[in-house]
Amino acid sequence: MRRRDLFAAALVAGLAAPAAARGQDRDSAILRTLIAREEVAVLAYRGVDLPGLGDPAAQDEAHVKALRTELQALKLDTPRIAADDLDPAARRLSEAPEDERRAAALALETDLLAEYREAVLGITEPAILQAVATILACHAQRRALLSAASYPP
Amino acid sequence: MVNRRTLVLGGGAALLAAGCGKDRVLEPPPAEPALLRSLAAERALGGTMAALAKPRLAQRSRERATRLAAELSKLGARPHDAPAPDARADIAAGLRRGHAVLEAYVAALPAFVTGARRELGADLLTEAAGDVALLGNAFGSPPQDPFPGAPT
């Protein structure tokens, strides 16, 4: 191998390493945002009964656990969200009277879905991407059920 | 002026520094097999939806299949290589095929590295997940899985 080839290879490797680090930084930032959204959703759905939707609070708790596992795989962590730190969509659901719960849940799911779509577009690590995509699918299913003309089933 | 020896030494140092980081495969999988698998799964689901007399769901599935076929054609691949299996009016088979299509879309995403293709993957997964939920719900099996499309 010529010196010039060696230098070119070193340059490529040197450029690739920071790109991977940037990707990891971005993935971890996205994971932290999603964890916060899911933790808030757990609080908002707690005690809310929506026919045909199963137990969204328990599902979202499973989402939190999966997302935290992905973050810990990057050797990172994030503090748990405070109970009074609800985002607007979650607050609307948690405070909605019974006849407005479906609309509030639909708004929350639409909001979460938009967040997950952005996440799927930005994540670089395949394992994180696929884990996040399955959670996106869960929120897409809830949104479809809540939107359906046939609701409640 | 930097001489050749300094350049090579610098290059060597950069190689060493790069080698000290986390090992990572940067090469994404090819998009074509992922698209073909998704198309085959979508065609199977659409056939079952039609057999189960759910024409609106079947129509949306066909539209997703058309988008996948167009993407394959852009790559110079042959959409006809994705099989379209026979369908029966069997809700259990429909739900299995629903899971299979979500699994295919989730598995495909790492192969969709361009922005437009990743957007396509996200949108197809979102739409298919919703329709699979509506299919199950229509037959008394609303989804309960917190991770639809996770590999089985």
Side-chain angles (χ1 to χ4, degrees):
Chain A
M1 185 182 269
R2 293 179 308 161
R3 286 175 177 179
R4 185 175 299 176
D5 297 332
L6 260 178
F7 177 65
L11 190 63
V12 167
L15 288 173
R22 277 199 304 276
Q24 185 169 319
D25 286 349
R26 189 161 60 169
D27 289 357
S28 62
I30 291 170
L31 282 171
R32 286 191 169 108
T33 301
L34 297 180
I35 289 167
R37 294 300 310 266
E38 291 286 347
E39 286 181 346
V40 159
V42 171
L43 298 171
Y45 271 118
R46 195 162 284 161
V48 172
D49 180 33
L50 289 158
L53 227 54
D55 187 349
Q59 288 187 339
D60 289 343
E61 194 65 65
H63 296 162
V64 169
K65 196 179 279 185
L67 293 167
R68 282 190 174 276
T69 301
E70 295 296 339
L71 189 61
Q72 282 156 6
L74 299 175
K75 302 191 184 339
L76 296 167
D77 208 348
T78 190
R80 203 162 176 99
I81 203 105
D84 58 352
D85 207 8
L86 299 188
D87 56 60
R91 184 172 301 282
R92 180 182 165 198
L93 175 58
S94 71
E95 294 174 353
E98 195 171 342
D99 62 338
E100 289 174 21
R101 276 187 191 153
R102 178 190 170 193
L106 179 56
L108 174 60
E109 293 301 335
T110 302
D111 208 39
L112 284 168
L113 206 43
E115 189 93 54
Y116 272 93
R117 186 178 188 278
E118 281 304 305
V120 162
L121 301 187
I123 292 170
T124 54
E125 172 65 37
I128 299 174
L129 174 60
Q130 291 181 326
V132 166
T134 63
I135 303 175
L136 173 145
C138 180
H139 289 294
Q141 294 199 320
R142 282 192 213 157
R143 186 185 65 169
L145 292 172
L146 288 163
S147 311
S150 59
Y151 184 90
Chain B
M1 187 73 183
V2 178
N3 63 26
R4 281 184 179 178
R5 182 171 297 175
T6 313
L7 270 178
V8 172
L9 277 173
L15 264 176
L16 273 174
C20 289
K22 192 175 175 181
D23 286 338
R24 184 178 288 256
V25 178
L26 293 173
E27 194 69 29
E32 187 182 321
L35 285 164
L36 274 172
R37 183 187 165 198
S38 300
L39 178 55
E42 192 67 79
R43 282 179 172 159
L45 176 64
T48 305
M49 285 169 158
L52 287 165
K54 293 290 171 194
R56 276 170 51 193
L57 295 180
Q59 174 60 28
R60 288 207 291 261
S61 176
R62 277 195 296 275
E63 286 166 7
R64 288 192 293 272
T66 301
R67 290 161 73 186
L68 286 164
E71 200 63 23
L72 276 162
S73 295
K74 275 190 217 165
L75 288 172
R78 292 159 34 97
H80 293 298
D81 288 348
D86 292 337
R88 288 178 296 125
D90 175 356
I91 183 58
L95 293 176
R96 279 197 301 275
R97 288 179 171 189
H99 180 81
V101 82
L102 300 184
E103 200 176 320
Y105 283 134
V106 168
L109 280 171
F112 296 171
V113 287
T114 64
R117 198 165 287 149
R118 185 67 70 83
E119 282 187 20
L120 174 72
D123 291 343
L124 292 174
L125 173 62
T126 300
E127 291 163 23
D131 284 349
V132 168
L134 294 176
L135 178 70
N137 200 46
F139 289 91
S141 297
Q144 304 290 333
D145 184 359
F147 304 102
T152 46

